[in-house]
Amino acid sequence: MGRQPCCDKLVVKKGPWTAEEDKKLINFILTNGHCCWRALPKLAGLRRCGKSCRLRWTNYLRPDLKRGLLSHDEEQLVIDLHAHLGNKWSKIASRLPGRTDNEIKNHWNTHIKKKLVKMGIDPMTHQPLNQEPNNTNNPQSLSSTSDDISMKPRSGSTKETNGTLTEDESSSTVTGQNNSTDNENHLLSNIYNDEELFSHLWSDETTTAEAPWSDSNDGFGGTLYHHDNNMSGAGADFPIWSPEGINGNDWTFLDYCQDFGVHDFGF
DNA sequence: AAAGGGTACAACCGCGGTACA
DNA sequence: CTGTACCGCGGTTGTACCCTT
């Protein structure tokens, strides 16, 4: 007996969202929150699957999203987190404020993976690809690349095996490629040395950078304040929505959202 | 200028985990 | 304890856009 479909596939609409649908979804969530994704489409007057609404909101409409390409630091952070966590995109995303798991996953698949391969690094194991003597597909990759993404040495690196990380005390083989800036080194050294961080990530505890949008925004009422001082990069530009504006039904900003996309405001 | 190929990213699908009746 | 419904995650697909020829 299989699971029942989450929604009536004959009734729900699929495909790209229209501006009108976006507006309806934003309006509804800002006024009511998202108590139940399954019921939301009906209540919001959308012919969409609840799942689709949730995805649209979390990956695209959420006001705290940062848009645009990942910065070099963010990219480097993703690489390192991936080395530790594997394809745990949501965990990785939780360490990058304003970024979604989907966005990071896409960026990994389209950019980072290729860069690593180009550098002769296996994107999955984060180990050199040319360990075998006959692997000569990219002899210069480790010493000269146009991209300065590099693997950083670390004391006790981990690697993923069947979805679980195991300690590999002898795996720091990707060394000697450290041509990144001091700034990056600083950023990453903080990460490498932060055993607490990774034990935290591996636990089921909520990380500090997790977005406040889920569940905690009961009675959301349109109030959105900075929740995390960690947001120094993107968050510094985040808007602060006042309850007055929302309660006063000042939806002007939504029109802007529609005209330009919420992301154009640096949300 | 047009066609074809490549790329980026939004969106969908299916599954696992979990809460609850 | 079991079955069901829901949520969230990771993998995959579809398509619009960009670049090259």
Side-chain angles (χ1 to χ4, degrees):
Chain A
M1 180 166 63
R3 173 178 299 198
Q4 303 235 337
C6 68
C7 46
D8 187 346
K9 294 188 188 303
L10 293 176
V11 173
V12 298
K13 185 184 167 196
K14 286 165 66 173
W17 280 64
T18 64
E20 185 62 30
E21 288 176 314
D22 283 346
K23 197 167 187 171
K24 279 183 181 178
L25 184 58
I26 293 170
N27 282 348
F28 185 84
I29 292 179
L30 290 184
T31 49
N32 304 294
H34 52 78
C35 54
C36 170
W37 287 113
R38 189 178 169 83
L40 189 147
K42 206 169 191 175
L43 296 170
L46 289 163
R47 286 178 54 199
R48 290 277 181 176
C49 175
K51 206 172 179 177
S52 179
C53 293
R54 178 174 58 82
L55 226 57
R56 182 66 178 170
W57 175 255
T58 56
N59 287 337
Y60 200 81
L61 298 175
R62 244 174 53 196
D64 61 338
L65 288 181
K66 202 196 286 184
R67 302 298 293 181
L69 283 175
L70 271 71
S71 68
H72 185 276
D73 284 351
E74 285 176 315
E75 220 169 60
Q76 192 66 68
L77 181 54
V78 168
I79 292 170
D80 189 65
L81 288 168
H82 185 273
H84 283 82
L85 300 168
N87 294 357
K88 304 290 179 189
W89 304 116
S90 61
K91 294 263 186 204
I92 294 172
S94 72
R95 302 306 307 175
L96 284 94
R99 301 295 187 183
T100 69
D101 54 351
N102 201 39
E103 188 179 11
I104 292 170
K105 180 173 59 180
N106 281 331
H107 191 77
W108 177 269
N109 287 328
T110 55
H111 293 97
I112 302 177
K113 228 165 142 179
K114 288 172 190 169
K115 285 182 182 177
L116 291 179
V117 169
K118 196 176 169 187
M119 293 166 63
I121 296 167
D122 186 333
M124 295 317 292
T125 63
H126 294 256
Q127 303 301 312
L129 281 169
N130 54 350
Q131 279 179 321
E132 291 80 17
N134 60 348
N135 186 343
T136 57
N137 63 339
N138 195 358
Q140 316 173 323
S141 60
L142 292 177
S143 55
S144 65
T145 61
S146 55
D147 302 306
D148 56 353
I149 287 178
S150 57
M151 300 303 299
K152 302 296 187 300
R154 51 175 173 267
S155 55
S157 67
T158 57
K159 66 181 178 185
E160 191 178 14
T161 308
N162 278 342
T164 58
L165 291 180
T166 55
E167 286 298 325
D168 184 0
E169 60 279 356
S170 63
S171 65
S172 300
T173 53
V174 196
T175 56
Q177 311 167 42
N178 196 344
N179 56 350
S180 44
T181 64
D182 290 344
N183 182 31
E184 293 150 17
N185 286 335
H186 177 69
L187 171 70
L188 288 159
S189 65
N190 287 343
I191 297 159
Y192 294 126
N193 295 332
D194 197 351
E195 294 303 324
E196 196 178 347
L197 163 65
F198 283 102
S199 63
H200 203 59
L201 282 168
W202 276 112
S203 73
D204 289 334
E205 290 176 37
T206 305
T207 60
T208 55
E210 277 183 48
W213 294 91
S214 59
D215 302 329
S216 62
N217 59 349
D218 295 337
F220 178 67
T223 306
L224 172 66
Y225 297 103
H226 291 181
H227 67 290
D228 191 347
N229 292 333
N230 227 357
M231 302 284 218
S232 54
D237 298 321
F238 284 12
I240 298 178
W241 295 355
S242 69
E244 296 81 19
I246 300 298
N247 292 338
N249 287 326
D250 181 3
W251 296 104
T252 311
F253 77 98
L254 284 174
D255 292 334
Y256 289 129
C257 292
Q258 294 310 308
D259 290 339
F260 303 104
V262 290
H263 318 297
D264 294 327
F265 294 87
F267 281 168

